[in-house]
Amino acid sequence: MKKIVLLFVLGASISVFSQKKEKTLITIDGEKTTVSEFKRVYEKNLEAIDNEEAKSITKNLDLYINYKLKVKEAYAINLDTLPSYKREMESYKNQLSAPYLQDTTFIDQLVKDAYFRTKNQVKAKHILIRLPREASPKDTLMVYNKILELRERITKGEQFEAIAAQYSEDRSAQDDPKTGRKGNGGNLGYFSAFNMVYPFEVAAYATKVGEISMPFKTQFGYHIMQVDDVKESKGEIEAAHILIRDTTAVGKVKIDSIYAKLNNKERFDDLAKKYSEDPGSKNNGGKLGKFGAGRMVKSFDDAAFALENVSDFSKPFRSQFGWHIVQLLKKHPIKSFDEMKVELKEKIKKSSRMQLSEDAVVNKLKKEYTITEYDEAKKILDRKNLRAIPKDSLQNTIISINDKNITQETFIKYIRNRRHLAVFKLFEMFKDDQILTYYKENLIYTEPEYAYTLKEYEDGLLLFELMQEKIWTKSSNDSIGLQEFFENQKDTYATSDLDSIKGQVINDYQNFLDENWIADLRKKSKVKVSKKELKKLIKFYENK
């Protein structure tokens, strides 16, 4: 029984997009179903039909009418108003609309950019002046001017590293007198795609070697950058290391003694297990797994990627963590674009740059839609007690998108639990959110495939609830009805012991209940099938 239901749950569709001139095949209480609508369902179901008899047009049409009658009954008894149904549908709408909120052309370009940046690595240094996320326009301008002034000093001849060590708010750029650690002067070493936050990556690959970028913004603040080199990436490597945390002369003596043992042909993994002070890798022979340029601190990166041959090991070197010796275990060269395309697309989907695809959709919609902001209503943005304004005072339209008016109250609901950003930024976020909401609400009118799929799920979910109530639960819980059915059908079974064949009897009882229910639904409704169109339909599939 369930198999028949699910067959049409998968296939049912709607006629929202049917042409007015399309021929009507079925009319149920005045509601018309076109020939093309049924063909869509039938052809979709053919994949699940495994014998010729079951492919009969008349049989499938009969099942389809039964399906339509059941769905009609589900709406009639208001199953679509159940909170659980509404929640499920809202969740499915979000899931189904997700691909439409992405600009596929834009994503394809992101993938191409990511491949180029994976294949080619950049060596750069930077200066950072931090900026709080909720900074006002005045504070933003002040930080921008400050870093612009530092850029001018460098272009006039001052050393980038010296300016970075003195002014950069990236701590790694400065000397640490407490630990004796020397600052890196803003040097980041080599890095490639996905190693840095996306705006930083974009700036790095857009700046020519030797040039200093104009100030650019990331989530951390404003940066300037100088690119020192661009070269083809060596890909990723697998490596192992031995770490001695003591950075004094004592630690140096210890690491040198281990280095001597390696030169005397002692095994690297044995020495790592015995001497390394990295608890995360020592028991595994010092193995660190696979990594690319920019994933480790600069001194470690430089030493690891300088190794040419598998099993080569470096001389002892120091990082902020202590003294290391690193051994090359395996090389993973960059694959071709076709080999990496799927992997890169998945990385992009999981990264912050995916938001840019949604932004691209919003920007496109801004050009297509008529969007109006109402200055008088927007004056509430200047109110200090914004979130405490009474609901009755928030009924003016603050934005309109085409024919949809959005009130101040909707804006206040949006920002009520968003307190980490300035109100003017929240308003821009709200506007973008409303544009996407309007777009999603209208997808059923602009995207036929979306509308068909949504309606399939909508009706299928309702039918499942209805079948659960009318057939499946009843057949399982109605022991008296089941016993009575069994007594009336005893001659058709090989035994008189109900318990021994209960599963089979329940299945037959479900079919019995369903047949009676369908008979009642058909009595209640007026069903008309166009014999002319049915005949043409049968002939069409016979000739295929």
Side-chain angles (χ1 to χ4, degrees):
M1 191 63 242
K2 290 184 183 180
K3 189 173 181 180
I4 295 171
V5 172
L6 292 175
L7 187 66
F8 278 100
V9 166
L10 290 171
S13 60
I14 53 173
S15 55
V16 170
F17 296 94
S18 298
Q19 298 295 322
K20 288 180 181 179
K21 292 181 180 178
E22 281 198 32
K23 301 296 183 181
T24 299
L25 179 62
I26 313 162
T27 306
I28 301 175
D29 294 332
E31 186 180 331
K32 295 179 180 180
T33 298
T34 64
V35 172
S36 63
E37 184 181 348
F38 174 74
K39 281 175 69 177
R40 175 186 169 88
V41 174
Y42 175 69
E43 289 174 7
K44 195 171 183 180
N45 286 334
L46 281 177
E47 297 172 13
I49 297 172
D50 54 9
N51 66 76
E52 288 302 316
E53 187 182 349
K55 292 180 181 180
S56 163
I57 293 289
T58 51
K59 282 188 178 180
N60 277 272
L61 182 62
D62 207 42
L63 285 172
Y64 183 67
I65 291 169
N66 293 347
Y67 170 83
K68 297 288 279 185
L69 288 169
K70 289 174 183 177
V71 171
K72 186 172 180 291
E73 178 70 6
Y75 282 107
I77 62 175
N78 298 320
L79 284 183
D80 58 319
T81 64
L82 293 174
S84 58
Y85 172 81
K86 288 183 175 180
R87 284 193 300 271
E88 176 71 23
M89 282 309 304
E90 193 58 36
S91 173
Y92 184 72
K93 278 182 186 177
N94 289 332
Q95 178 186 333
L96 185 62
S97 64
Y100 296 92
L101 304 182
Q102 303 302 330
D103 187 319
T104 52
T105 304
F106 187 83
I107 292 171
D108 288 344
Q109 187 58 51
L110 287 178
V111 172
K112 290 175 184 175
D113 290 344
Y115 181 71
F116 176 83
R117 295 167 189 173
T118 299
K119 199 170 182 181
N120 298 278
Q121 53 186 355
V122 172
K123 184 182 181 185
K125 46 185 176 272
H126 82 127
I127 295 170
L128 166 67
I129 303 297
R130 293 189 179 275
L131 181 70
R133 289 183 68 186
E134 67 278 4
S136 67
K138 182 181 177 182
D139 292 336
T140 303
L141 182 61
M142 186 171 68
V143 168
Y144 181 87
N145 287 334
K146 182 178 179 180
I147 203 162
L148 189 62
E149 183 184 330
L150 296 178
R151 181 183 185 276
E152 289 173 0
R153 287 174 60 177
I154 296 166
T155 57
K156 289 177 180 177
E158 293 190 53
Q159 289 296 310
F160 194 104
E161 289 90 340
I163 296 291
Q166 187 174 356
Y167 296 103
S168 181
E169 294 175 7
D170 177 352
R171 291 179 187 173
S172 68
Q174 303 159 6
D175 295 344
D176 188 341
K178 290 182 181 178
T179 63
R181 177 185 59 80
K182 294 290 290 179
N184 61 21
N187 283 289
L188 300 168
Y190 284 96
F191 57 89
S192 56
F194 303 103
N195 293 146
M196 303 292 180
V197 293
Y198 185 66
F200 196 97
E201 178 189 305
V202 170
Y205 283 90
T207 304
K208 293 179 181 177
V209 174
E211 290 189 357
I212 299 168
S213 72
M214 287 298 290
F216 62 93
K217 191 178 178 185
T218 71
Q219 65 202 61
F220 304 107
Y222 273 98
H223 309 251
I224 53 173
M225 172 195 298
Q226 184 170 32
V227 172
D228 295 327
D229 188 28
V230 178
K231 67 178 183 180
E232 192 168 341
S233 173
K234 293 183 178 180
E236 294 180 308
I237 61 171
E238 292 179 40
H241 81 135
I242 297 168
L243 169 68
I244 301 301
R245 293 187 180 278
D246 189 339
T247 57
T248 67
V250 175
K252 180 69 166 70
V253 170
K254 194 171 182 180
I255 200 75
D256 284 343
S257 71
I258 296 169
Y259 184 64
K261 291 176 188 293
L262 284 168
N263 283 321
N264 286 330
K265 308 301 181 185
E266 291 194 42
R267 288 171 57 87
F268 192 98
D269 57 344
D270 290 340
L271 293 171
K273 289 174 183 177
K274 187 173 181 179
Y275 295 109
S276 182
E277 295 171 4
D278 177 5
S281 68
K282 70 172 292 178
N283 293 332
N284 197 27
K287 290 179 182 177
L288 296 169
K290 187 164 64 172
F291 58 91
R295 283 275 300 279
M296 303 296 186
V297 293
K298 182 178 180 299
S299 56
F300 196 100
D301 247 18
D302 290 346
F305 281 92
L307 298 170
E308 290 294 331
N309 303 306
V310 171
S311 297
D312 284 355
F313 52 85
S314 69
K315 291 180 179 179
F317 63 93
R318 196 170 81 165
S319 79
Q320 66 201 65
F321 303 106
W323 288 98
H324 308 257
I325 301 171
V326 61
Q327 182 183 44
L328 179 63
L329 300 178
K330 194 173 182 180
K331 290 185 174 184
H332 296 272
I334 302 297
K335 299 174 185 174
S336 71
F337 177 73
D338 287 339
E339 289 173 310
M340 289 195 71
K341 188 163 51 175
V342 173
E343 177 190 340
L344 290 172
K345 187 171 281 191
E346 285 305 307
K347 276 189 176 182
I348 285 167
K349 285 180 179 179
K350 293 174 183 176
S351 73
S352 60
R353 65 193 72 192
M354 198 60 180
Q355 179 62 41
L356 296 170
S357 174
E358 189 171 297
D359 293 343
V361 172
V362 171
N363 291 333
K364 189 163 73 173
L365 293 174
K366 283 178 179 177
K367 294 175 184 176
E368 294 176 8
Y369 293 163
T370 301
I371 301 167
T372 307
E373 298 178 23
Y374 294 85
D375 293 336
E376 192 64 30
K378 280 177 65 179
K379 285 181 180 178
I380 62 167
L381 271 62
D382 300 322
R383 299 265 293 269
K384 287 186 178 180
N385 64 338
L386 182 62
R387 293 170 178 84
I389 300 173
K391 179 179 175 180
D392 292 346
S393 303
L394 295 169
Q395 300 311 308
N396 292 325
T397 299
I398 196 167
I399 304 173
S400 65
I401 304 171
N402 290 348
D403 55 350
K404 181 182 179 182
N405 293 328
I406 299 140
T407 64
Q408 297 160 312
E409 182 186 359
T410 309
F411 172 64
I412 298 301
K413 284 180 181 177
Y414 177 82
I415 69 167
R416 196 169 301 283
N417 296 316
R418 292 177 168 93
R419 299 174 183 269
H420 62 293
L421 291 173
V423 173
F424 72 92
K425 286 187 178 179
L426 287 172
F427 181 77
E428 291 304 314
M429 288 168 59
F430 169 73
K431 183 168 67 175
D432 289 351
D433 180 74
Q434 288 299 310
I435 290 169
L436 283 178
T437 299
Y438 181 86
Y439 176 62
K440 285 193 285 186
E441 289 171 348
N442 286 275
L443 276 174
I444 58 169
Y445 307 114
T446 59
E447 298 291 343
E449 197 57 40
Y450 170 87
Y452 287 133
T453 307
L454 182 64
K455 188 63 176 172
E456 285 175 3
Y457 192 84
E458 215 169 53
D459 290 351
L461 188 61
L462 280 177
L463 183 55
F464 184 86
E465 292 289 341
L466 190 62
M467 293 295 288
Q468 193 78 27
E469 178 186 316
K470 292 278 188 181
I471 307 295
W472 301 326
T473 301
K474 184 175 180 180
S475 63
S476 299
N477 297 340
D478 184 10
S479 56
I480 296 173
L482 183 66
Q483 183 67 47
E484 186 179 327
F485 171 78
F486 179 65
E487 293 296 333
N488 291 334
Q489 303 291 327
K490 248 182 185 179
D491 294 343
T492 63
Y493 298 110
T495 177
S496 58
D497 180 15
L498 174 58
D499 290 337
S500 65
I501 55 168
K502 196 168 186 179
Q504 180 188 346
V505 178
I506 287 175
N507 187 67
D508 292 343
Y509 187 41
Q510 286 177 351
N511 289 334
F512 171 76
L513 292 173
D514 188 65
E515 287 167 8
N516 287 339
W517 180 36
I518 284 294
D520 288 340
L521 290 176
R522 286 193 176 244
K523 285 177 186 175
K524 284 174 23 180
S525 294
K526 187 176 180 181
V527 180
K528 182 181 176 184
V529 177
S530 170
K531 293 180 181 178
K532 179 183 175 183
E533 296 303 327
L534 177 58
K535 188 177 179 181
K536 285 164 65 177
L537 200 58
I538 293 169
K539 189 174 181 180
F540 173 81
Y541 284 105
E542 283 177 347
N543 294 331
K544 283 195 77 172

